[in-house]
Amino acid sequence: MDNMLVEWATKIAAAELSSPLPRRWTHAQEVAERAIEVRSVLGEDADLVLASAALHDVGYAPRLAVTGFHPLDGARFLRDEHGADERLVRLVANHSFALLEAEERGLREELATEFPLLEEPLLVDALVYCDMTTTPDGDRTTAQDRVSEIRSRYGDDSVVGRFIRRAAPEIFASVERVEAALAAQPR
């Protein structure tokens, strides 16, 4: 991958999110900043993760919200309108354990069939880390506080509330793996 991918991804995310959803755009920008911080453990795939971080919530854009499930809507947009790299599309489609939320929404088979989970655990974990250590306003947070914020915002009995309770152990494990990889890097 190269810097052109990152520039393209940032431009697309800005075009879709900055005006209609400025708070979501701020979150996406800061998730991308977290991706810059984890570059050292990603090697040649650092730009792929950075681009997916910028685009991970593009499916929230009002014009793209077809199913109302942003990972699926965003991935379809990137694939169908932009012919985006398959790995990038699969990261966006499955970010932060989206398959569990898809199940709550009756979309699990659809998501899994169209966009199989990327079999590159470090990349998947890195995107989870970046998303789940960034608040909706773009501030740095812990994964535990982020999960608590999501639960309080949506309520435990909502689709998102049920999903995030189920996903929390996986989210925490992903974040711990990335933190361990970062701590093992030479200083």
Side-chain angles (χ1 to χ4, degrees):
M1 295 295 155
D2 58 44
N3 200 31
M4 288 179 56
L5 175 66
V6 175
E7 290 174 17
W8 169 83
T10 303
K11 180 181 172 185
I12 296 299
E16 298 298 336
L17 296 173
S18 65
S19 180
L21 300 169
R23 185 176 187 218
R24 185 70 57 189
W25 171 231
T26 297
H27 168 75
Q29 288 176 290
E30 293 305 315
V31 170
E33 285 296 315
R34 295 293 96 66
I36 291 169
E37 295 170 12
V38 300
R39 289 182 81 89
S40 64
V41 299
L42 298 175
E44 66 184 35
D45 290 321
D47 286 341
L48 175 65
V49 173
L50 181 51
S52 65
L55 288 165
H56 80 286
D57 278 350
V58 73
Y60 277 116
R63 80 173 193 91
L64 307 179
V66 175
T67 68
F69 182 46
H70 77 278
L72 183 57
D73 292 337
R76 285 177 172 166
F77 161 72
L78 293 169
R79 177 194 64 198
D80 299 345
E81 288 192 33
H82 293 283
D85 177 89
E86 180 187 353
R87 292 167 69 215
L88 179 135
V89 171
R90 288 169 64 185
L91 280 168
V92 169
N94 289 287
H95 76 273
S96 299
F97 300 98
L99 201 55
L100 293 175
E101 186 174 348
E103 186 174 309
E104 291 287 335
R105 294 176 179 272
L107 295 169
R108 182 184 175 91
E109 188 166 327
E110 200 169 336
L111 181 65
T113 301
E114 273 187 69
F115 305 105
L117 185 62
L118 194 63
E119 296 295 328
E120 298 180 63
L122 180 59
L123 304 185
V124 173
D125 282 349
L127 187 54
V128 171
Y129 171 87
C130 296
D131 187 22
M132 291 296 154
T133 60
T134 306
T135 70
D137 294 316
D139 297 322
R140 184 179 304 274
T141 191
T142 65
Q144 291 77 7
D145 286 348
R146 178 81 159 106
V147 166
S148 293
E149 180 276 323
I150 293 168
R151 289 178 67 182
S152 68
R153 183 166 25 123
Y154 288 95
D156 280 340
D157 293 329
S158 69
V159 167
V160 175
R162 290 190 305 271
F163 146 70
I164 203 68
R165 283 195 328 267
R166 289 178 59 205
E170 300 297 332
I171 290 167
F172 300 153
S174 285
V175 169
E176 287 172 10
R177 286 189 293 268
V178 171
E179 288 172 343
L182 289 167
Q185 290 293 301
R187 296 187 184 246

